[in-house]
Amino acid sequence: MTQLKSILTKAGLNGFFLALIGTIVLANMFPGWGAPDSIIPFKEITHYGVSLIFFFYGVKMDPVKLRSGLGNWKLHLLIQSTTFLVFPAVVLLVKSVFGTDDSSIWLGAFYLSALPSTVSASVVMVSIAGGNIPAAIFNASISSIVGIFVTPIWMELFLEGSEMNFDLLDTFWKLSLQVLFPVVIGFVLHGVLGKWVNKYSTGLKYMDQSIILMIVFSAFSAAVGQGMFEGQSWAFLLTLGGLMLLLFLVMAAMMFGMGKLLGFSREDQITVLFCGSKKSLIQGAAMGKVLFPDPVTFGVILLPLMLYHALQLVSGSMIAQQLAERNKADEGSWSQGNKR
């Protein structure tokens, strides 16, 4: 249990997870705090806060580590195609079979499927499980950049003909200003600020998390204030959570199987499993503010992503631990065989 707790903490499932739960409870109790006329300027704070998050993310991108992961193009192609093509295709297939309307929950499920992979959790779990760490760093980092362009295109296609249709070029421009340009500027300044960012990484992590919590609070409080969650029972939330868990397990199994089918090494199979099945709450919250400017709708759309985020950390950590133990067992058998 202690070991699992340590793994969950490294992957990000610690006080932040509890803070997310507390934020939703507060939004439900005090919906007026996150209203547009609130004395707390959440909109302005989160707007510039998102740019800060991605600026420091760019600073953390080490060119040396990225170059070391460039070689295996087949692995990179598989991970990026599963993240941005296979994942959305699976959700669309399920919707075509079971979906009866274009509700915000379905929209939220598709939105999470079109998002890039999370960076820190993917790399941590690949490391624990004994996977290809340079490839994980490369793919998780590149995924965040590719998502700025691919995710809006998917949403444009999914929302085509609906009332929520948006201007794709305008969306690209807004995301470039708020996300892409800060990442590029930060990456350019890696040599100047890299050591400072690593030194104060804990404080910067808390800043990132605080901004995400403010985005979640303002979105959920607006949705609660407009009665978007009225009539939703605990049974509904448990069912939605179960479906998100099933989605993660199906995608993880599919990713691992595809890596095995293509003849990848065990290390690369592990990298495909975690980088191809993870989705980023940070990027989802940041991009969602641009893609879904109506905070009421955005609050509902965030719900599947938040559940998936928590469940992917718990389940992924357990899978990573099992793979690590299996690696140790295999190494022990190999060592004893050599002694004989």
Side-chain angles (χ1 to χ4, degrees):
M1 183 61 71
T2 302
Q3 193 173 20
L4 178 60
K5 182 179 178 181
S6 175
I7 295 170
L8 293 176
T9 300
K10 289 179 181 179
L13 191 58
N14 44 28
F16 178 59
F17 174 69
L18 297 177
L20 273 175
I21 302 300
T23 297
I24 296 173
V25 172
L26 281 176
N28 188 61
M29 294 172 60
F30 308 103
W33 290 5
D37 57 351
S38 171
I39 60 172
I40 306 174
F42 283 108
K43 184 177 181 180
E44 290 75 15
I45 294 173
T46 54
H47 176 82
Y48 294 107
V50 165
S51 296
L52 265 180
I53 288 175
F54 284 95
F55 169 75
F56 286 117
Y57 171 67
V59 175
K60 294 174 188 174
M61 293 172 65
D62 189 338
V64 175
K65 290 182 179 178
L66 289 177
R67 280 197 295 270
S68 67
L70 275 173
N72 195 345
W73 64 269
K74 290 182 180 179
L75 175 66
H76 307 327
L77 183 62
L78 176 61
I79 291 175
Q80 298 306 316
S81 61
T82 52
T83 300
F84 294 111
L85 296 177
V86 176
F87 212 122
V90 169
V91 173
L92 284 177
L93 177 63
V94 173
K95 183 180 184 300
S96 68
V97 176
F98 298 102
T100 56
D101 55 33
D102 293 325
S103 69
S104 295
I105 296 298
W106 270 116
L107 180 58
F110 183 75
Y111 177 55
L112 84 85
S113 76
L115 286 171
S117 175
T118 184
V119 177
S120 58
S122 294
V123 174
V124 166
M125 290 182 190
V126 167
S127 175
I128 291 169
N132 187 334
I133 298 175
I137 294 172
F138 177 85
N139 278 283
S141 301
I142 294 302
S143 175
S144 296
I145 305 300
V146 173
I148 296 172
F149 303 99
V150 175
T151 303
I153 291 174
W154 266 121
M155 300 315 298
E156 169 75 7
L157 294 173
F158 190 80
L159 296 172
E160 189 173 2
S162 73
E163 295 179 359
M164 293 181 62
N165 198 17
F166 54 87
D167 186 334
L168 191 59
L169 290 178
D170 182 59
T171 300
F172 281 151
W173 176 243
K174 288 179 180 177
L175 286 174
S176 295
L177 285 175
Q178 198 169 4
V179 177
L180 180 60
F181 293 164
V183 168
V184 172
I185 294 170
F187 182 70
V188 171
L189 294 176
H190 171 80
V192 178
L193 298 176
K195 291 183 179 179
W196 183 88
V197 166
N198 288 332
K199 182 179 180 180
Y200 296 101
S201 59
T202 301
L204 291 172
K205 181 185 72 173
Y206 291 143
M207 182 199 74
D208 293 354
Q209 293 176 347
S210 298
I211 292 167
I212 298 305
L213 290 174
M214 283 190 280
I215 293 174
V216 170
F217 178 82
S218 58
F220 270 81
S221 60
V224 170
Q226 294 294 319
M228 292 296 288
F229 295 117
E230 288 182 4
Q232 303 292 4
S233 64
W234 280 104
F236 165 78
L237 292 175
L238 289 173
T239 301
L240 182 60
L243 291 173
M244 292 301 101
L245 176 60
L246 179 62
L247 177 61
F248 171 75
L249 294 176
V250 166
M251 293 307 303
M254 186 183 299
M255 298 306 98
F256 194 75
M258 290 174 69
K260 200 167 187 178
L261 185 65
L262 292 172
F264 287 169
S265 67
R266 182 176 179 80
E267 290 78 9
D268 286 351
Q269 290 174 34
I270 290 171
T271 305
V272 172
L273 187 162
F274 289 112
C275 290
S277 61
K278 293 282 187 298
K279 292 295 178 178
S280 173
L281 174 62
I282 290 180
Q283 195 127 352
M287 293 174 65
K289 281 177 59 62
V290 175
L291 295 171
F292 310 105
D294 179 6
V296 176
T297 303
F298 183 39
V300 181
I301 289 171
L302 265 182
L303 187 57
L305 175 58
M306 289 184 60
L307 290 171
Y308 189 91
H309 169 79
L311 293 166
Q312 75 179 1
L313 291 178
V314 175
S315 304
S317 296
M318 292 179 178
I319 293 171
Q321 180 63 21
Q322 288 296 318
L323 289 172
E325 291 177 357
R326 189 181 302 175
N327 282 342
K328 287 181 181 178
D330 291 344
E331 289 173 1
S333 298
W334 181 84
S335 177
Q336 286 187 3
N338 273 357
K339 287 179 181 178
R340 292 190 190 125

